[in-house]
Amino acid sequence: MKVSGQKITKQLYARLDLSEPEIFEDLATGLPVTEAIKKYQVSKRIWYGWLDRKPGRRDDYKRAQRHFAETLADETIKIADSCIDTADAQIAKVRIDARRWIAGKVDPERYGEKQGPAVQINLQSEHLQALKDINNSEDTLPPGRGDRGLRRGE
């Protein structure tokens, strides 16, 4: 026996299935997910369930996000090139920074800020310390054990 809620859920999934190309086009051109949810009249639960329902659909979603990030990157160049005076440059900087931030969140591999290593090691000082440790340990070896069985001075 089917519950009416299951029937409605299937109908909503079917509606999204029919609109799939348009949905990904909307997302690629910058329609936020919250607006897409409103446009296609579904809940967040239905939306994200639909994304995971078909193999490869989540990849299509990520591809649409990458296209949007590329669009934002292209826009930053146009905005920067259109600056005429210093007052205009301040406004342009805010617009560019906003687009850079969004692009970095949408496609962090390509547009995110690169993080350096959390720990930096000076290999030269480590190497020098290792040589000192070796020399100190040879000085403490019993006669006949250091330098491949040779005593110092031989």
Side-chain angles (χ1 to χ4, degrees), residues 12-132:
L12 293 173
Y13 282 152
R15 184 175 355 137
L16 291 172
D17 286 342
L18 292 173
S19 303
E20 185 171 347
E22 182 184 350
I23 289 170
F24 290 125
E25 181 64 28
D26 285 345
L27 295 172
T29 56
L31 184 69
V33 170
T34 54
E35 294 300 315
I37 287 170
K38 288 177 190 175
K39 178 178 178 178
Y40 295 101
Q41 301 174 347
V42 295
S43 67
K44 286 182 182 180
R45 183 182 62 80
I46 296 292
W47 176 266
Y48 289 107
W50 174 76
L51 278 178
D52 294 329
R53 188 175 164 101
K54 177 180 159 191
R57 189 176 282 148
R58 187 63 80 156
D59 294 333
D60 293 341
Y61 173 72
K62 292 194 182 299
R63 192 174 304 112
Q65 286 183 312
R66 285 193 303 272
H67 286 301
F68 176 54
E70 288 173 12
T71 300
L72 291 173
D74 291 344
E75 285 179 10
T76 61
I77 294 168
K78 289 177 186 174
I79 293 167
D81 289 345
S82 69
C83 287
I84 297 170
D85 58 23
T86 55
D88 192 32
Q90 270 310 102
I91 294 168
K93 181 179 180 344
V94 170
R95 293 177 67 206
I96 288 169
D97 288 347
R99 283 161 176 76
R100 280 183 44 211
W101 182 83
I102 293 169
K105 296 299 178 189
V106 170
D107 190 356
E109 288 181 19
R110 191 162 181 196
Y111 299 108
E113 294 194 18
K114 308 296 184 246
Q115 297 291 326
V119 176
Q120 292 187 0
I121 299 173
N122 182 348
L123 293 179
Q124 185 176 6
S125 66
E126 294 295 320
H127 182 75
L128 201 55
Q129 185 61 43
L131 289 175
K132 286 179 183 177

